Amino acid sequence: MKKYQDHFFKKAKQEQYPARSVYKLKEIHNQFKFFTRGQRVLDLGAAPGSWTLYAAEQVGPTGVVLGVDLQETSTGFPPQVIFLQDDVFEPSPVLQELLQIHSPFDVIISDMAPRTTGVKFADQARSHDLCLAALALARSHLVHGGRFVVKVFMGPDSKALQMDMQQSFKTVKIHKPKSSRSESKEIFYVGLDFQGAPV
Ligand code: SAM
């Protein structure tokens, strides 16, 4: 299995993506085809920037990708990318303004992950909180019919999250990318056809 992981690591280097995680998004996109030219995309947990770069390639120069992360990145992005160091739990006034300017987004993607503590339940709970923060942003800033991709660490709250998403999306699919580490508990929920926040 190690060889398989090295393969994605090397491939990312060759193709000039800063992280191997880009292949997870590519796989998800190959299946669900949610990006098109000119779209507005919100990328949560964007550093170091491989999802942002891929989204920027897909939407092209007429699109916009707003990438947000707690951490800075030194990755060079094309002009359609705005990268902001910020916290989804406490959006700064700058982030709030950018969200207003660029809303509604056609696609919102979240690869956010907490800094792991090694305590399984604590890590799962923190990941769940990040998923809820991403879903709340999707409910406020996604266009009707829009798409939402969120990384989930499978745990006791995952089913509740799926049901919560089903209240806002016509379809919620589950995807486990081949390029995820086999031992990883991560899966992705893909919400298709946004219907609005539940009343
Ligand atoms: N998608 C990225 C890429 O392809 O380069 C990799 C993302 S990495 C797996 C997860 C990111 O989530 C980390 O960079 C982390 O800083 C970010 N993150 C965690 N908590 C966050 C929060 N509260 N607000 C914003 N970003 C957060």
Side-chain angles (χ1 to χ4, degrees), residues 17-25 43-53 68-73 75 77 83-90 95 109-115 126 130 133 151 153 186:
Y17 290 109
R20 63 198 287 290
S21 49
V22 68
Y23 301 108
K24 299 176 200 172
L25 183 61
D43 179 12
L44 303 169
S50 64
W51 280 31
T52 314
L53 281 176
V68 179
D69 202 292
L70 281 179
Q71 299 180 48
E72 247 314 343
T73 177
T75 300
F77 294 116
F83 183 92
L84 187 69
Q85 188 174 9
D86 218 305
D87 184 348
V88 295
F89 290 130
E90 286 176 61
L95 176 54
I109 52 180
S110 171
D111 193 25
M112 288 191 292
R115 195 168 286 202
R126 285 154 60 98
L130 286 170
K151 177 161 76 181
F153 284 98
E186 76 179 11

Side-chain angles (χ1 to χ4, degrees), residues 63-107:
V64 174
V65 182
L66 173 57
V68 179
D69 202 292
L70 281 179
Q71 299 180 48
E72 247 314 343
T73 177
S74 56
T75 300
F77 294 116
Q80 65 267 38
V81 171
I82 304 162
F83 183 92
L84 187 69
Q85 188 174 9
D86 218 305
D87 184 348
V88 295
F89 290 130
E90 286 176 61
S92 68
V94 178
L95 176 54
Q96 289 178 32
E97 197 182 338
L98 285 171
L99 288 172
Q100 289 312 323
I101 291 171
H102 297 289
S103 281
F105 291 88
D106 302 288
V107 184

Side-chain angles (χ1 to χ4, degrees), residues 6-178:
D6 285 349
H7 164 73
F8 286 110
F9 179 78
K10 280 189 193 139
K11 197 167 149 77
K13 249 195 156 163
Q14 274 162 11
E15 295 182 357
Q16 297 187 321
Y17 290 109
R20 63 198 287 290
S21 49
V22 68
Y23 301 108
K24 299 176 200 172
L25 183 61
K26 279 192 178 188
E27 267 187 58
I28 300 168
H29 185 243
N30 283 343
Q31 187 168 351
F32 299 105
K33 304 273 184 253
F34 38 85
F35 290 131
T36 52
R37 308 306 266 181
Q39 283 178 327
R40 282 178 281 197
V41 178
L42 175 61
D43 179 12
L44 303 169
S50 64
W51 280 31
T52 314
L53 281 176
Y54 181 68
E57 282 160 31
Q58 297 300 312
V59 303
T62 57
V64 174
V65 182
L66 173 57
V68 179
D69 202 292
L70 281 179
Q71 299 180 48
E72 247 314 343
T73 177
S74 56
T75 300
F77 294 116
Q80 65 267 38
V81 171
I82 304 162
F83 183 92
L84 187 69
Q85 188 174 9
D86 218 305
D87 184 348
V88 295
F89 290 130
E90 286 176 61
S92 68
V94 178
L95 176 54
Q96 289 178 32
E97 197 182 338
L98 285 171
L99 288 172
Q100 289 312 323
I101 291 171
H102 297 289
S103 281
F105 291 88
D106 302 288
V107 184
I108 298 185
I109 52 180
S110 171
D111 193 25
M112 288 191 292
R115 195 168 286 202
T116 47
T117 61
V119 182
K120 195 171 108 193
F121 290 112
D123 291 344
Q124 278 167 348
R126 285 154 60 98
S127 164
H128 182 67
D129 289 345
L130 286 170
C131 292
L132 292 180
L135 179 58
L137 284 169
R139 283 181 167 147
S140 310
H141 297 287
L142 204 51
V143 74
H144 192 88
R147 288 81 180 263
F148 174 56
V149 177
V150 61
K151 177 161 76 181
V152 177
F153 284 98
M154 276 187 291
D157 300 320
S158 313
K159 190 73 199 166
L161 177 71
Q162 188 185 354
M163 287 165 68
D164 200 357
M165 280 179 64
Q166 277 162 346
Q167 302 211 20
S168 286
F169 294 88
K170 253 196 187 151
T171 312
V172 178
K173 301 276 191 188
I174 299 176
H175 186 85
K176 167 91 184 165
K178 290 189 189 66

